[in-house]
Amino acid sequence: MDKIKIIGGKPLDGKIFISGAKNAALPLICASLLTKDTVTLTNMPMLSDIRAMNSLLEQLGTKIDSFNDFIDGHETKTYSYRSKNIDNLVAPYDFVRKMRASYYVLGPLLARFGKVELSLPGGCAIGARPMDIHLEALEKMGAKIEIRNGYVYASSEGKLKGAHIIFRLASVGATCNLLMAATLAEGTTVIENAAKEPEVGDLITLLNEMGARISGINTSILTIEGVDELHGAIHKVISDRIEAGSYAVAAAITRGRIELINAQPSLLQTPLDILRSMGVKIEEKENGIIVDARNAKLTGRDIMTDYYPGFPTDLQAQFLALMLTAEGASMITETIFENRFMHIPELLRMGANINVHGHASAIVRSVDKLYGAPVMATDLRASFALILAGLAAEGETTINRVYHLDRGYEKLEEKLRGVGADIVRVKDND
Ligand code: EPZ
């Protein structure tokens, strides 16, 4: 397995291009299953999770073409999906265990073909992450759901039926799956307590571009009037707010300055406000953000994760690392996932001062220095928190299990080297 080596202690300075959002792209790819026409997605990130989703769709029968594109002189991908001849309605264990977002094929395949077999994803490093909300809502729409041998067997006699659904919590995944299922249902579906994350908004935009009738975008009540069929569309994926937030912290933790190109500041208001209140200068531009922490004396802040537009759980680990270098004590509370502090034991090995209270809260106290160390993480964002600590630390940090990072951070070393970081990937046989 590859490793990443960082020699820390350098303020970063320069520009980073922010890629298209992974968590928007994954459901968008699956939305292409709703039509026999071609759906083209531009500003796609080049990530292992996207390649994994593409191979799942190819296994179902989707034909995929890819093109290299350029936005502001930066290479991006465009993918065209044509799901005219779907001849397999199974998402097998081998795909789902590697990438839980494989469950996004459930809603569209059930709506269009009336049948799906999906391996149940099971728990993951950050929490149990059940699928009960997705499945109960589909049952309300008339689907028959059976769980046998680790698989969900979902079927519907004729079309799914519009229903009034109230989610017990505002799940991003369940909102996306239900939106896709309801587009081709008979009658009107209303989802109350729907997720308002921008990635959900991006999916609604694409579905409407494909001929769906969805209203309530960016609110917690979504109304979907079913239509007989959807058609093709060309759609630009929104920029990745979590990647942008992660590099904003890279500027802050190294007391550097980074211009985030192709970032959308409106999607990051809560994290940007926290950075401002800590003492970081933030300049919002139409299509970018400048994060300037040169010579700044940062003070710690309390953070509690929440549904959008609250503070995103996907930036909790990165901000926790930043608080180690800010004056005073900061309380970090995680409310979305029950096991999302796996970065803390590794940060302690780098000299951090953190006290965990139960499994939801941690007190982070400022330390004079972090020290490089060999570390490893169990999920994507925790791994990035270790990269950040390594950039701020004295000496060499080696981050193991790099495959987590490859799932969600496109050209990570290249982007960080471009702003002056001393970072290399070491192949296992080097
Ligand atoms: C999405 O996961 C993202 N993944 C996650 O990003 C992100 O952390 C999360 O939303 C919250 O913003 C993708 O978009 C691919 P949820 P998702 O359903 O949809 C519970 C990253 O690092 N729940 O909103 O799985 C669940 O256990 C990843 O990029 C149920 O109980 O999140 C969790 O506690 C990690 N039953 C809470 O809801 C259900 O049926 C929120 O989960 C569904 C969810």
Side-chain angles (χ1 to χ4, degrees), residues 16 18 243-251 258 260 384 409 412 415-416:
I16 291 183
I18 301 303
E243 191 198 22
S246 303
Y247 287 121
V249 177
I258 301 181
L260 306 165
F384 200 92
Y409 289 95
L412 171 86
K415 288 185 184 187
L416 282 170

Side-chain angles (χ1 to χ4, degrees), residues 56 60 88-93 95-96 102 105 116-119 151:
L56 173 56
L60 302 175
N88 174 19
L89 298 171
V90 185
Y93 180 61
F95 280 95
V96 186
S102 309
V105 303
V116 197
E117 291 174 27
L118 168 81
S119 171
Y151 275 72

Side-chain angles (χ1 to χ4, degrees), residues 55-76:
S55 21
L56 173 56
L57 262 75
E58 278 175 333
Q59 180 158 312
L60 302 175
T62 305
K63 297 276 174 277
I64 306 178
D65 287 314
S66 73
F67 313 90
N68 290 336
D69 240 340
F70 286 88
I71 296 180
D72 289 342
H74 297 269
E75 196 185 12
T76 66

Side-chain angles (χ1 to χ4, degrees), residues 296-343:
K297 246 194 168 338
L298 303 188
T299 44
R301 284 288 171 272
D302 293 349
I303 289 177
M304 179 149 79
T305 62
D306 204 347
Y307 299 102
Y308 189 84
F311 190 91
T313 172
D314 290 347
L315 285 176
Q316 175 261 109
Q318 301 87 319
F319 272 72
L320 184 146
L322 172 61
M323 295 311 169
L324 288 165
T325 71
E327 254 177 44
S330 315
M331 169 130 140
I332 311 290
T333 305
E334 170 61 50
T335 69
I336 307 293
F337 292 108
E338 64 274 22
N339 193 29
R340 214 170 191 185
F341 277 155
M342 296 300 282
H343 37 292

